[in-house]
């Protein structure tokens, strides 16, 4: 019995470390790409005022990157029971942070970012996981935008009668054929649209992180109209 328990713990640890690797790669790639783009703009821009704006964006992204690295490092230092650090987090603070990252993207990758989440919305979650989840849904709205309309992602938050907290993320993109791909939607290395940056990792990471926090994710989608994700948060 003790041997089986050790094997199970070892397997869980391996999965956690694999998830950490994907999380680090996924999160840092968004920041480094953004920093490179801003530096390229600064090199090409002669207008001092415009460069000041670009430098302000660069400083904001740099500060957020530093905080992200700090949060990700916490995941490495897990306790023997493999619990990931959780705390009360203000959703709006994280949505504003993600919007700063998105606002620094190139003009062709602009996104209408609609935040309907109340200021007093708190969830019990891991900081690095929450940032990764919000960033993934936001960048997906850009990646899989419908060619005939400007990309939009909308965040809403509500509490059900039983006290369950739900974050709803709705985009107006290409949508997903759930009858065809539903079973594989959150699988590793699964892609459903042709896009140069599609790697089949983002939704896999997202589902893992939500379930690691004892939460649940549900999805509704219609091809050509967009996709809605609902994250059910687990309190303490």
């Amino acid at each position: 019995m003790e041997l089986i328990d050790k094997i199970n713990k070892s397997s869980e640890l391996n999965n956690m470390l694999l998830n950490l690797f994907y999380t680090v790669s996924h999160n840092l790639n968004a920041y480094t790409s953004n920093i490179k783009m801003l530096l390229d703009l600064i090199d090409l821009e002669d207008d001092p005022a415009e460069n000041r704006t670009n430098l302000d964006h660069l400083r904001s992204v740099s500060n957020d990157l530093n905080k992200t690295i700090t949060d990700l490092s916490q995941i490495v230092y897990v306790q023997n029971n493999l619990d990931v650090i959780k705390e009360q987090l203000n959703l709006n603070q994280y949505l504003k942070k993600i919007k700063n990252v998105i606002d620094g993207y190139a003009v062709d990758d602009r996104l209408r970012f609609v935040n309907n989440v109340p200021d007093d919305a708190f969830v019990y979650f891991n900081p690095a996981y929450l940032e990764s989840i919000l960033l993934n849904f936001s960048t997906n709205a850009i990646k899989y935008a419908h060619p005939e309309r400007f990309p939009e992602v909308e965040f809403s938050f509500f509490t059900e009668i039983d006290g369950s907290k739900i974050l709803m993320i709705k985009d107006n993109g290409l949508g997903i054929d759930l009858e065809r791909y539903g079973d594989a939607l959150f699988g590793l290395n699964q892609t459903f649209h042709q896009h140069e940056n599609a790697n089949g990792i983002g939704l896999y990471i997202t589902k893992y992180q939500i379930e690691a926090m004892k939460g649940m994710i549900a999805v509704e989608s219609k091809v050509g109209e967009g996709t809605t994700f609902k994250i059910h948060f687990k309190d303490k």
Side-chain angles (χ1 to χ4, degrees):
M1 195 69 179
E2 183 178 350
L3 178 60
I4 294 176
D5 186 53
K6 287 183 178 179
I7 292 173
N8 289 336
K9 283 188 175 182
S10 176
S11 176
E12 188 173 354
L13 179 60
N14 286 337
N15 287 334
M16 184 190 66
L17 292 175
L18 180 62
N19 176 64
L20 175 61
F21 168 76
Y22 286 133
T23 300
V24 171
S25 300
H26 186 265
N27 286 21
L28 298 190
N29 181 65
Y31 285 108
T32 54
S33 297
N34 202 356
I35 289 172
K36 181 183 183 302
M37 181 274 297
L38 287 168
L39 289 172
D40 289 343
L41 286 177
I42 292 170
D43 283 341
L44 295 173
E45 184 59 62
D46 294 327
D47 184 355
E50 187 65 29
N51 263 341
R52 171 53 56 187
T53 300
N54 289 331
L55 283 170
D56 287 341
H57 279 307
L58 182 61
R59 184 174 292 105
S60 177
V61 172
S62 176
N63 290 338
D64 287 342
L65 173 59
N66 184 64
K67 177 64 166 59
T68 297
I69 292 173
T70 300
D71 288 340
L72 287 170
S73 67
Q74 293 180 5
I75 302 176
V76 179
Y77 300 101
V78 294
Q79 300 175 352
N80 291 334
N81 58 11
L82 303 180
D83 285 340
V84 179
I85 296 170
K86 293 182 283 186
E87 56 190 87
Q88 289 288 351
L89 305 175
N90 184 291
L91 268 176
N92 254 308
Q93 289 182 1
Y94 280 80
L95 285 169
K96 290 174 182 176
K97 182 177 180 180
I98 297 305
K99 187 177 185 301
N100 283 338
V101 176
I102 298 301
D103 283 347
Y105 278 18
V107 174
D108 291 342
D109 286 338
R110 288 293 185 185
L111 172 70
R112 186 176 292 114
F113 196 96
V114 182
N115 180 9
N116 296 323
V117 176
D119 291 336
D120 60 350
F122 284 82
V123 293
Y124 192 60
F125 218 74
N126 175 268
Y129 280 9
L130 182 60
E131 180 180 338
S132 177
I133 290 165
L134 298 177
L135 183 61
N136 184 60
F137 284 126
S138 298
T139 53
N140 276 356
I142 297 173
K143 285 181 186 178
Y144 307 117
H146 196 286
E148 297 178 2
R149 52 181 175 262
F150 198 86
E152 177 177 297
V153 62
E154 179 180 357
F155 297 88
S156 304
F157 181 85
F158 56 93
T159 303
E160 294 190 326
I161 297 176
D162 63 358
S164 300
K165 296 178 178 180
I166 297 175
L167 176 65
M168 186 166 68
I169 306 106
K170 181 180 180 180
D171 69 49
N172 65 344
L174 294 170
I176 303 167
D177 186 345
L178 294 179
E179 289 189 7
R180 183 176 181 183
Y181 299 118
D183 292 340
L185 182 60
F186 296 101
L188 184 60
N189 296 324
Q190 298 294 320
T191 56
F192 314 105
H193 298 293
Q194 297 298 320
H195 191 281
E196 59 182 357
N197 293 323
N199 52 24
I201 291 176
L203 287 180
Y204 168 81
I205 293 173
T206 294
K207 184 173 186 289
Y208 185 100
Q209 291 166 334
I210 292 170
E211 292 182 349
M213 298 290 98
K214 310 303 180 185
M216 184 182 71
I217 185 168
V219 58
E220 298 175 1
S221 189
K222 190 169 183 179
V223 175
E225 295 187 9
T227 304
T228 299
F229 292 92
K230 290 182 179 179
I231 302 173
H232 298 249
F233 291 94
K234 177 75 173 179
D235 265 341
K236 294 182 181 180

